[in-house]
Amino acid sequence: MSDNQKTATLSLPNNESLQLPVYEGTYGAPVIDIGDLNKSSVFTFDPGFRSTASCRSDITFIDGSNGILLHRGYPIEQLAESSEYLEVCYLLLNGELPNETQKQNFYDEVTHHTLVHEQLINFFNGFPRNAHPMAIMCGVVGALSAFYHDTLDIQNDEHRTNSALRLIAKMPTLAAMCYKYSVGHPFIYPRNDMSYAENFLNMMFSLPTFDYEPNPVLTQTMDKIFILHADHEQNASTSTVRLAGSSGANPFACIASGIAALWGPAHGGANEAVIHMLEAIEHPKNIPAFLKRAKDKDDPFRLMGFGHRVYKNFDPRAKIMRKSCHDVLQAVGVNDQLFDIALQLEDIALKDSYFLDRKLYPNVDFYSGIIMKAIGIPTNMFSVIFALSRTVGWVAHWNEMIGTPGQSISRPRQLYTGAAKRDFVPLNQR
Ligand code: CMC
């Protein structure tokens, strides 16, 4: 440790004391490096990782107290306003915004990989028509590794880039296939003459008998939804991808593990849960009863789309989504009762001391579901779209981890609270 290295002193129960290095990042709270603690007789205990930085990362920064989200230094508001999803993908993967040529090459490369192997269609046929699309996504994304043996050497930069492109390119195709399968329609092949978002909507809503003509407001909003979900530093699914990847697992398997982690209602499943909640509220007059339930400790009900582990102020993505909600509802000419309920619920909750004291504000999922519903996307596809958008974040983090010198398998320890050592009891004596 150098002389000017900042340290924190830890006093241990055996009167030993340890000097632990303290590091400062570009922004954010300093971190205490406890990596050498295991050489003494203790570990740290932090279930839920509330106080633990699991890695160094250059990709995304969140200041939860001030509602700031930066990707490679660029504020999310500016990216959502002035950029496109594929440009943000390039930025997350490469660290810089692309110049004209880099952008063109990247778009061409992604477009080049949008088809999935015809053999993959057989996987879909194995699922019941009413399977949740996230169940299908977990399966088919993991199955991609069976088709791309040529790019599975994770120590090879070119292979890693190729896998990243394949994943980003194929997710919309697979996502739309899930939907088409559920409604019994034929799969629609990707179109290379369309933008990323337009192509996705086309694969969702076109039929061999009918050409879907996406409204430009809807296409732009879809692209914005992709941008707003593209990355969010070390959340549960990204940490899952890193953990799975730390063992050397291939990227398709790792992304499948991320999809599984995202599925839960506390994470990516929240946008679907918000719509179910708003439908259950049914009328603004019922809002107080639902707020009462959300505050009742004996009731597991939570206000879906409210609260965030990191944002203890507004979620900057939610602000952008709220505005897009108005634009989309206007574009499709819908006067959505659910949106009215959402606005009134937000208004009442933000005046309620329970939510104010706990710093529970609407998160991105509070509005994204209303928008997707207005676009015509069924609720069970919402988390699939989250997964599609987040794939670039997962891949960027996976790539960053594999490319970090000295990377090793992640292996947390535990505080054992089970039975003390005892002798086996034969069956006839139990
Ligand atoms: N409704 C009612 N009470 C809540 C809510 C809520 N949505 N969220 C947190 N609380 C209460 C919680 O009961 C606790 O109260 P107390 O201190 O009295 O015990 C306090 O607020 C702190 O909650 P916590 O569970 O310690 O907070 P957390 O950081 O572990 O949970 C969360 C964060 C997002 C899982 C949680 O707020 C939640 O379940 N929200 C609803 C689900 C949701 O909208 N998830 C989407 C997150 S954003 C998209 C993404 O990034 O995945």
Side-chain angles (χ1 to χ4, degrees), residues 287-297 299 301 352 355:
I287 291 173
F290 278 83
L291 285 183
K292 193 163 168 238
R293 284 189 60 196
K295 296 192 267 184
D296 180 356
K297 290 287 151 227
D299 188 332
F301 173 77
D352 188 309
F355 293 92

Side-chain angles (χ1 to χ4, degrees), residues 21 33 56 60 203 214 231 236 240 252 259 264 297-298 313 326 347 350 352 355 404 412 414:
D33 181 350
R56 285 175 194 266
T60 290
M203 289 188 290
D231 189 42
T240 302
F252 302 102
I259 295 172
K297 290 287 151 227
D298 296 327
N313 192 318
H326 284 284
D347 192 49
L350 291 182
D352 188 309
F355 293 92
T404 302
Q414 63 171 7

